[in-house]
PDB file of all heavy atoms in Angstrom:
ATOM      1  N   ALA A 189     -31.842   3.150 272.317  1.00 94.00           N
ATOM      2  CA  ALA A 189     -32.898   2.087 272.354  1.00 94.00           C
ATOM      3  C   ALA A 189     -33.557   1.853 271.064  1.00 94.00           C
ATOM      4  O   ALA A 189     -34.335   0.838 270.946  1.00 94.00           O
ATOM      5  CB  ALA A 189     -33.928   2.422 273.454  1.00 94.00           C
ATOM      6  N   ARG A 190     -33.339   2.626 270.038  1.00 95.00           N
ATOM      7  CA  ARG A 190     -34.119   2.463 268.787  1.00 95.00           C
ATOM      8  C   ARG A 190     -33.925   1.160 268.124  1.00 95.00           C
ATOM      9  O   ARG A 190     -34.865   0.666 267.525  1.00 95.00           O
ATOM     10  CB  ARG A 190     -33.790   3.661 267.786  1.00 95.00           C
ATOM     11  CG  ARG A 190     -32.443   3.675 267.256  1.00 95.00           C
ATOM     12  CD  ARG A 190     -32.135   4.963 266.518  1.00 95.00           C
ATOM     13  NE  ARG A 190     -30.860   4.987 265.912  1.00 95.00           N
ATOM     14  CZ  ARG A 190     -30.612   4.735 264.600  1.00 95.00           C
ATOM     15  NH1 ARG A 190     -31.650   4.510 263.791  1.00 95.00           N
ATOM     16  NH2 ARG A 190     -29.423   4.831 264.061  1.00 95.00           N
ATOM     17  N   PHE A 191     -32.765   0.532 268.202  1.00 96.00           N
ATOM     18  CA  PHE A 191     -32.575  -0.691 267.504  1.00 96.00           C
ATOM     19  C   PHE A 191     -33.322  -1.830 268.279  1.00 96.00           C
ATOM     20  O   PHE A 191     -33.966  -2.716 267.653  1.00 96.00           O
ATOM     21  CB  PHE A 191     -31.081  -1.069 267.399  1.00 96.00           C
ATOM     22  CG  PHE A 191     -30.295  -0.149 266.587  1.00 96.00           C
ATOM     23  CD1 PHE A 191     -29.559   0.889 267.173  1.00 96.00           C
ATOM     24  CD2 PHE A 191     -30.369  -0.169 265.202  1.00 96.00           C
ATOM     25  CE1 PHE A 191     -28.807   1.780 266.366  1.00 96.00           C
ATOM     26  CE2 PHE A 191     -29.657   0.777 264.428  1.00 96.00           C
ATOM     27  CZ  PHE A 191     -28.895   1.751 264.989  1.00 96.00           C
ATOM     28  N   LEU A 192     -33.237  -1.786 269.632  1.00 97.00           N
ATOM     29  CA  LEU A 192     -34.031  -2.796 270.383  1.00 97.00           C
ATOM     30  C   LEU A 192     -35.494  -2.527 270.198  1.00 97.00           C
ATOM     31  O   LEU A 192     -36.294  -3.556 270.106  1.00 97.00           O
ATOM     32  CB  LEU A 192     -33.644  -2.733 271.816  1.00 97.00           C
ATOM     33  CG  LEU A 192     -34.200  -3.790 272.791  1.00 97.00           C
ATOM     34  CD1 LEU A 192     -33.831  -5.151 272.353  1.00 97.00           C
ATOM     35  CD2 LEU A 192     -33.765  -3.541 274.221  1.00 97.00           C
ATOM     36  N   ARG A 193     -35.910  -1.318 270.134  1.00 96.00           N
ATOM     37  CA  ARG A 193     -37.313  -0.978 269.955  1.00 96.00           C
ATOM     38  C   ARG A 193     -37.825  -1.627 268.599  1.00 96.00           C
ATOM     39  O   ARG A 193     -38.935  -2.104 268.510  1.00 96.00           O
ATOM     40  CB  ARG A 193     -37.576   0.477 269.986  1.00 96.00           C
ATOM     41  CG  ARG A 193     -38.984   0.887 269.822  1.00 96.00           C
ATOM     42  CD  ARG A 193     -39.211   2.448 269.778  1.00 96.00           C
ATOM     43  NE  ARG A 193     -38.775   3.032 271.068  1.00 96.00           N
ATOM     44  CZ  ARG A 193     -37.691   3.822 271.205  1.00 96.00           C
ATOM     45  NH1 ARG A 193     -36.919   4.082 270.141  1.00 96.00           N
ATOM     46  NH2 ARG A 193     -37.384   4.357 272.333  1.00 96.00           N
ATOM     47  N   ALA A 194     -36.968  -1.559 267.644  1.00 95.00           N
ATOM     48  CA  ALA A 194     -37.350  -2.059 266.319  1.00 95.00           C
ATOM     49  C   ALA A 194     -37.584  -3.551 266.363  1.00 95.00           C
ATOM     50  O   ALA A 194     -38.423  -4.123 265.603  1.00 95.00           O
ATOM     51  CB  ALA A 194     -36.272  -1.713 265.282  1.00 95.00           C
ATOM     52  N   LEU A 195     -36.876  -4.264 267.224  1.00 97.00           N
ATOM     53  CA  LEU A 195     -37.037  -5.744 267.330  1.00 97.00           C
ATOM     54  C   LEU A 195     -37.849  -6.172 268.528  1.00 97.00           C
ATOM     55  O   LEU A 195     -37.930  -7.358 268.806  1.00 97.00           O
ATOM     56  CB  LEU A 195     -35.629  -6.425 267.455  1.00 97.00           C
ATOM     57  CG  LEU A 195     -34.657  -6.265 266.243  1.00 97.00           C
ATOM     58  CD1 LEU A 195     -33.344  -6.946 266.604  1.00 97.00           C
ATOM     59  CD2 LEU A 195     -35.267  -6.792 264.999  1.00 97.00           C
ATOM     60  N   TRP A 196     -38.469  -5.198 269.245  1.00 97.00           N
ATOM     61  CA  TRP A 196     -39.130  -5.511 270.490  1.00 97.00           C
ATOM     62  C   TRP A 196     -40.217  -6.589 270.318  1.00 97.00           C
ATOM     63  O   TRP A 196     -40.398  -7.433 271.259  1.00 97.00           O
ATOM     64  CB  TRP A 196     -39.730  -4.252 271.133  1.00 97.00           C
ATOM     65  CG  TRP A 196     -40.094  -4.423 272.554  1.00 97.00           C
ATOM     66  CD1 TRP A 196     -41.329  -4.323 273.145  1.00 97.00           C
ATOM     67  CD2 TRP A 196     -39.111  -4.679 273.621  1.00 97.00           C
ATOM     68  NE1 TRP A 196     -41.213  -4.552 274.477  1.00 97.00           N
ATOM     69  CE2 TRP A 196     -39.854  -4.747 274.810  1.00 97.00           C
ATOM     70  CE3 TRP A 196     -37.695  -4.821 273.679  1.00 97.00           C
ATOM     71  CZ2 TRP A 196     -39.320  -5.050 276.041  1.00 97.00           C
ATOM     72  CZ3 TRP A 196     -37.165  -5.075 274.881  1.00 97.00           C
ATOM     73  CH2 TRP A 196     -37.913  -5.163 276.072  1.00 97.00           C
ATOM     74  N   GLN A 197     -40.908  -6.700 269.271  1.00 97.00           N
ATOM     75  CA  GLN A 197     -41.977  -7.652 269.093  1.00 97.00           C
ATOM     76  C   GLN A 197     -41.379  -9.054 268.879  1.00 97.00           C
ATOM     77  O   GLN A 197     -42.143 -10.065 268.948  1.00 97.00           O
ATOM     78  CB  GLN A 197     -42.861  -7.306 267.912  1.00 97.00           C
ATOM     79  CG  GLN A 197     -43.786  -6.125 268.153  1.00 97.00           C
ATOM     80  CD  GLN A 197     -44.579  -6.261 269.407  1.00 97.00           C
ATOM     81  OE1 GLN A 197     -45.251  -7.285 269.609  1.00 97.00           O
ATOM     82  NE2 GLN A 197     -44.491  -5.265 270.308  1.00 97.00           N
ATOM     83  N   LYS A 198     -40.084  -9.167 268.744  1.00 97.00           N
ATOM     84  CA  LYS A 198     -39.410 -10.415 268.627  1.00 97.00           C
ATOM     85  C   LYS A 198     -38.937 -10.952 270.053  1.00 97.00           C
ATOM     86  O   LYS A 198     -38.585 -12.122 270.159  1.00 97.00           O
ATOM     87  CB  LYS A 198     -38.169 -10.438 267.674  1.00 97.00           C
ATOM     88  CG  LYS A 198     -38.492  -9.743 266.357  1.00 97.00           C
ATOM     89  CD  LYS A 198     -39.331 -10.654 265.519  1.00 97.00           C
ATOM     90  CE  LYS A 198     -39.414 -10.041 264.079  1.00 97.00           C
ATOM     91  NZ  LYS A 198     -40.342 -10.912 263.175  1.00 97.00           N
ATOM     92  N   VAL A 199     -39.007 -10.109 271.059  1.00 97.00           N
ATOM     93  CA  VAL A 199     -38.426 -10.447 272.358  1.00 97.00           C
ATOM     94  C   VAL A 199     -39.384 -11.304 273.111  1.00 97.00           C
ATOM     95  O   VAL A 199     -40.483 -10.896 273.495  1.00 97.00           O
ATOM     96  CB  VAL A 199     -38.147  -9.124 273.171  1.00 97.00           C
ATOM     97  CG1 VAL A 199     -37.713  -9.503 274.605  1.00 97.00           C
ATOM     98  CG2 VAL A 199     -37.030  -8.325 272.418  1.00 97.00           C
ATOM     99  N   SER A 200     -38.935 -12.576 273.400  1.00 97.00           N
ATOM    100  CA  SER A 200     -39.742 -13.435 274.233  1.00 97.00           C
ATOM    101  C   SER A 200     -39.404 -13.248 275.696  1.00 97.00           C
ATOM    102  O   SER A 200     -40.268 -13.179 276.587  1.00 97.00           O
ATOM    103  CB  SER A 200     -39.474 -14.890 273.830  1.00 97.00           C
ATOM    104  OG  SER A 200     -40.289 -15.286 272.741  1.00 97.00           O
ATOM    105  N   LEU A 201     -38.090 -13.140 276.004  1.00 96.00           N
ATOM    106  CA  LEU A 201     -37.634 -12.901 277.444  1.00 96.00           C
ATOM    107  C   LEU A 201     -36.242 -12.386 277.438  1.00 96.00           C
ATOM    108  O   LEU A 201     -35.336 -12.920 276.879  1.00 96.00           O
ATOM    109  CB  LEU A 201     -37.759 -14.219 278.150  1.00 96.00           C
ATOM    110  CG  LEU A 201     -37.604 -14.057 279.681  1.00 96.00           C
ATOM    111  CD1 LEU A 201     -38.860 -13.341 280.262  1.00 96.00           C
ATOM    112  CD2 LEU A 201     -37.463 -15.443 280.355  1.00 96.00           C
ATOM    113  N   ILE A 202     -36.065 -11.296 278.213  1.00 96.00           N
ATOM    114  CA  ILE A 202     -34.769 -10.787 278.555  1.00 96.00           C
ATOM    115  C   ILE A 202     -34.601 -10.825 280.044  1.00 96.00           C
ATOM    116  O   ILE A 202     -35.430 -10.223 280.732  1.00 96.00           O
ATOM    117  CB  ILE A 202     -34.520  -9.351 278.015  1.00 96.00           C
ATOM    118  CG1 ILE A 202     -34.577  -9.312 276.495  1.00 96.00           C
ATOM    119  CG2 ILE A 202     -33.217  -8.773 278.591  1.00 96.00           C
ATOM    120  CD1 ILE A 202     -34.558  -7.919 275.877  1.00 96.00           C
ATOM    121  N   HIS A 203     -33.625 -11.588 280.538  1.00 95.00           N
ATOM    122  CA  HIS A 203     -33.408 -11.662 282.010  1.00 95.00           C
ATOM    123  C   HIS A 203     -32.224 -10.712 282.363  1.00 95.00           C
ATOM    124  O   HIS A 203     -31.098 -10.983 282.059  1.00 95.00           O
ATOM    125  CB  HIS A 203     -33.072 -13.063 282.399  1.00 95.00           C
ATOM    126  CG  HIS A 203     -32.871 -13.282 283.836  1.00 95.00           C
ATOM    127  ND1 HIS A 203     -32.478 -14.496 284.377  1.00 95.00           N
ATOM    128  CD2 HIS A 203     -33.089 -12.442 284.919  1.00 95.00           C
ATOM    129  CE1 HIS A 203     -32.416 -14.388 285.709  1.00 95.00           C
ATOM    130  NE2 HIS A 203     -32.784 -13.149 286.042  1.00 95.00           N
ATOM    131  N   ASP A 204     -32.603  -9.605 283.004  1.00 95.00           N
ATOM    132  CA  ASP A 204     -31.625  -8.630 283.438  1.00 95.00           C
ATOM    133  C   ASP A 204     -31.172  -9.012 284.848  1.00 95.00           C
ATOM    134  O   ASP A 204     -31.780  -8.656 285.842  1.00 95.00           O
ATOM    135  CB  ASP A 204     -32.205  -7.227 283.455  1.00 95.00           C
ATOM    136  CG  ASP A 204     -31.175  -6.153 283.760  1.00 95.00           C
ATOM    137  OD1 ASP A 204     -30.101  -6.477 284.123  1.00 95.00           O
ATOM    138  OD2 ASP A 204     -31.536  -4.942 283.546  1.00 95.00           O
ATOM    139  N   ILE A 205     -30.182  -9.863 284.930  1.00 94.00           N
ATOM    140  CA  ILE A 205     -29.815 -10.585 286.157  1.00 94.00           C
ATOM    141  C   ILE A 205     -29.436  -9.573 287.313  1.00 94.00           C
ATOM    142  O   ILE A 205     -29.749  -9.804 288.486  1.00 94.00           O
ATOM    143  CB  ILE A 205     -28.649 -11.548 285.923  1.00 94.00           C
ATOM    144  CG1 ILE A 205     -29.132 -12.636 284.846  1.00 94.00           C
ATOM    145  CG2 ILE A 205     -28.186 -12.258 287.150  1.00 94.00           C
ATOM    146  CD1 ILE A 205     -27.968 -13.394 284.266  1.00 94.00           C
ATOM    147  N   ASP A 206     -28.751  -8.527 287.009  1.00 93.00           N
ATOM    148  CA  ASP A 206     -28.172  -7.605 287.965  1.00 93.00           C
ATOM    149  C   ASP A 206     -28.937  -6.290 288.163  1.00 93.00           C
ATOM    150  O   ASP A 206     -28.485  -5.344 288.678  1.00 93.00           O
ATOM    151  CB  ASP A 206     -26.688  -7.264 287.697  1.00 93.00           C
ATOM    152  CG  ASP A 206     -25.838  -8.532 287.754  1.00 93.00           C
ATOM    153  OD1 ASP A 206     -26.008  -9.325 288.723  1.00 93.00           O
ATOM    154  OD2 ASP A 206     -25.016  -8.725 286.848  1.00 93.00           O
ATOM    155  N   ASP A 207     -30.205  -6.241 287.674  1.00 93.00           N
ATOM    156  CA  ASP A 207     -31.047  -5.113 287.788  1.00 93.00           C
ATOM    157  C   ASP A 207     -31.190  -4.678 289.225  1.00 93.00           C
ATOM    158  O   ASP A 207     -31.836  -5.430 289.997  1.00 93.00           O
ATOM    159  CB  ASP A 207     -32.387  -5.278 287.125  1.00 93.00           C
ATOM    160  CG  ASP A 207     -33.297  -4.063 287.156  1.00 93.00           C
ATOM    161  OD1 ASP A 207     -32.833  -3.010 287.669  1.00 93.00           O
ATOM    162  OD2 ASP A 207     -34.389  -4.178 286.708  1.00 93.00           O
ATOM    163  N   PRO A 208     -30.637  -3.519 289.691  1.00 88.00           N
ATOM    164  CA  PRO A 208     -30.731  -3.181 291.121  1.00 88.00           C
ATOM    165  C   PRO A 208     -32.207  -2.766 291.494  1.00 88.00           C
ATOM    166  O   PRO A 208     -32.479  -2.786 292.677  1.00 88.00           O
ATOM    167  CB  PRO A 208     -29.781  -1.966 291.210  1.00 88.00           C
ATOM    168  CG  PRO A 208     -29.795  -1.354 289.809  1.00 88.00           C
ATOM    169  CD  PRO A 208     -29.912  -2.535 288.886  1.00 88.00           C
ATOM    170  N   ASN A 209     -33.041  -2.480 290.555  1.00 87.00           N
ATOM    171  CA  ASN A 209     -34.420  -2.194 290.812  1.00 87.00           C
ATOM    172  C   ASN A 209     -35.307  -3.403 290.807  1.00 87.00           C
ATOM    173  O   ASN A 209     -36.508  -3.335 290.938  1.00 87.00           O
ATOM    174  CB  ASN A 209     -34.935  -1.131 289.837  1.00 87.00           C
ATOM    175  CG  ASN A 209     -34.123   0.130 289.924  1.00 87.00           C
ATOM    176  OD1 ASN A 209     -33.881   0.652 291.027  1.00 87.00           O
ATOM    177  ND2 ASN A 209     -33.695   0.669 288.797  1.00 87.00           N
ATOM    178  N   GLY A 210     -34.692  -4.572 290.466  1.00 86.00           N
ATOM    179  CA  GLY A 210     -35.493  -5.826 290.409  1.00 86.00           C
ATOM    180  C   GLY A 210     -35.522  -6.568 291.813  1.00 86.00           C
ATOM    181  O   GLY A 210     -35.200  -5.936 292.793  1.00 86.00           O
ATOM    182  N   LYS A 211     -35.829  -7.821 291.664  1.00 88.00           N
ATOM    183  CA  LYS A 211     -35.871  -8.672 292.876  1.00 88.00           C
ATOM    184  C   LYS A 211     -34.525  -9.277 293.034  1.00 88.00           C
ATOM    185  O   LYS A 211     -33.529  -8.939 292.389  1.00 88.00           O
ATOM    186  CB  LYS A 211     -36.971  -9.682 292.770  1.00 88.00           C
ATOM    187  CG  LYS A 211     -38.389  -8.974 292.658  1.00 88.00           C
ATOM    188  CD  LYS A 211     -39.472 -10.014 292.653  1.00 88.00           C
ATOM    189  CE  LYS A 211     -40.838  -9.358 292.555  1.00 88.00           C
ATOM    190  NZ  LYS A 211     -41.976 -10.336 292.510  1.00 88.00           N
ATOM    191  N   SER A 212     -34.406 -10.260 293.941  1.00 88.00           N
ATOM    192  CA  SER A 212     -33.121 -10.935 294.167  1.00 88.00           C
ATOM    193  C   SER A 212     -32.589 -11.613 292.922  1.00 88.00           C
ATOM    194  O   SER A 212     -31.369 -11.779 292.770  1.00 88.00           O
ATOM    195  CB  SER A 212     -33.319 -11.998 295.259  1.00 88.00           C
ATOM    196  OG  SER A 212     -34.255 -12.997 294.923  1.00 88.00           O
ATOM    197  N   TYR A 213     -33.419 -11.958 292.009  1.00 88.00           N
ATOM    198  CA  TYR A 213     -32.980 -12.616 290.755  1.00 88.00           C
ATOM    199  C   TYR A 213     -32.914 -11.649 289.587  1.00 88.00           C
ATOM    200  O   TYR A 213     -32.730 -12.032 288.467  1.00 88.00           O
ATOM    201  CB  TYR A 213     -33.986 -13.799 290.391  1.00 88.00           C
ATOM    202  CG  TYR A 213     -35.512 -13.370 290.363  1.00 88.00           C
ATOM    203  CD1 TYR A 213     -35.983 -12.609 289.300  1.00 88.00           C
ATOM    204  CD2 TYR A 213     -36.327 -13.644 291.412  1.00 88.00           C
ATOM    205  CE1 TYR A 213     -37.308 -12.201 289.288  1.00 88.00           C
ATOM    206  CE2 TYR A 213     -37.619 -13.253 291.455  1.00 88.00           C
ATOM    207  CZ  TYR A 213     -38.117 -12.557 290.306  1.00 88.00           C
ATOM    208  OH  TYR A 213     -39.448 -12.106 290.323  1.00 88.00           O
ATOM    209  N   GLY A 214     -33.116 -10.335 289.855  1.00 93.00           N
ATOM    210  CA  GLY A 214     -33.094  -9.397 288.830  1.00 93.00           C
ATOM    211  C   GLY A 214     -34.485  -9.039 288.283  1.00 93.00           C
ATOM    212  O   GLY A 214     -35.428  -8.957 289.120  1.00 93.00           O
ATOM    213  N   SER A 215     -34.583  -8.841 287.009  1.00 94.00           N
ATOM    214  CA  SER A 215     -35.915  -8.548 286.415  1.00 94.00           C
ATOM    215  C   SER A 215     -36.043  -9.228 285.079  1.00 94.00           C
ATOM    216  O   SER A 215     -35.117  -9.610 284.438  1.00 94.00           O
ATOM    217  CB  SER A 215     -36.073  -7.059 286.317  1.00 94.00           C
ATOM    218  OG  SER A 215     -35.105  -6.544 285.438  1.00 94.00           O
ATOM    219  N   TYR A 216     -37.333  -9.352 284.659  1.00 95.00           N
ATOM    220  CA  TYR A 216     -37.629  -9.959 283.386  1.00 95.00           C
ATOM    221  C   TYR A 216     -38.353  -8.981 282.494  1.00 95.00           C
ATOM    222  O   TYR A 216     -39.245  -8.317 282.999  1.00 95.00           O
ATOM    223  CB  TYR A 216     -38.496 -11.259 283.577  1.00 95.00           C
ATOM    224  CG  TYR A 216     -37.760 -12.369 284.225  1.00 95.00           C
ATOM    225  CD1 TYR A 216     -37.995 -12.676 285.605  1.00 95.00           C
ATOM    226  CD2 TYR A 216     -36.915 -13.215 283.551  1.00 95.00           C
ATOM    227  CE1 TYR A 216     -37.358 -13.729 286.248  1.00 95.00           C
ATOM    228  CE2 TYR A 216     -36.195 -14.230 284.175  1.00 95.00           C
ATOM    229  CZ  TYR A 216     -36.482 -14.505 285.536  1.00 95.00           C
ATOM    230  OH  TYR A 216     -35.798 -15.529 286.126  1.00 95.00           O
ATOM    231  N   LEU A 217     -37.981  -8.960 281.268  1.00 95.00           N
ATOM    232  CA  LEU A 217     -38.608  -8.108 280.251  1.00 95.00           C
ATOM    233  C   LEU A 217     -39.121  -8.954 279.072  1.00 95.00           C
ATOM    234  O   LEU A 217     -38.440  -9.947 278.737  1.00 95.00           O
ATOM    235  CB  LEU A 217     -37.657  -6.984 279.776  1.00 95.00           C
ATOM    236  CG  LEU A 217     -37.106  -6.086 280.809  1.00 95.00           C
ATOM    237  CD1 LEU A 217     -35.961  -5.198 280.184  1.00 95.00           C
ATOM    238  CD2 LEU A 217     -38.155  -5.136 281.397  1.00 95.00           C
ATOM    239  N   SER A 218     -40.177  -8.552 278.475  1.00 95.00           N
ATOM    240  CA  SER A 218     -40.648  -9.217 277.276  1.00 95.00           C
ATOM    241  C   SER A 218     -41.370  -8.211 276.420  1.00 95.00           C
ATOM    242  O   SER A 218     -41.586  -7.030 276.772  1.00 95.00           O
ATOM    243  CB  SER A 218     -41.607 -10.400 277.594  1.00 95.00           C
ATOM    244  OG  SER A 218     -42.805  -9.918 278.004  1.00 95.00           O
ATOM    245  N   ARG A 219     -41.845  -8.618 275.221  1.00 95.00           N
ATOM    246  CA  ARG A 219     -42.510  -7.803 274.303  1.00 95.00           C
ATOM    247  C   ARG A 219     -43.871  -7.284 274.905  1.00 95.00           C
ATOM    248  O   ARG A 219     -44.416  -6.316 274.478  1.00 95.00           O
ATOM    249  CB  ARG A 219     -42.783  -8.424 272.947  1.00 95.00           C
ATOM    250  CG  ARG A 219     -43.567  -9.715 273.064  1.00 95.00           C
ATOM    251  CD  ARG A 219     -43.794 -10.338 271.678  1.00 95.00           C
ATOM    252  NE  ARG A 219     -44.524 -11.629 271.689  1.00 95.00           N
ATOM    253  CZ  ARG A 219     -43.900 -12.754 271.892  1.00 95.00           C
ATOM    254  NH1 ARG A 219     -42.578 -12.824 272.006  1.00 95.00           N
ATOM    255  NH2 ARG A 219     -44.562 -13.924 271.965  1.00 95.00           N
TER     256      ARG A 219
END
Side-chain angles (χ1 to χ4, degrees):
R190 66 190 182 102
F191 296 102
L192 184 60
R193 182 182 297 111
L195 296 180
W196 196 244
Q197 290 306 307
K198 309 291 187 181
V199 173
S200 279
L201 191 69
I202 295 172
H203 184 185
D204 187 349
I205 300 166
D206 297 316
D207 182 2
N209 299 312
K211 298 183 179 180
S212 58
Y213 50 78
S215 62
Y216 292 102
L217 301 169
S218 76
R219 60 180 175 273

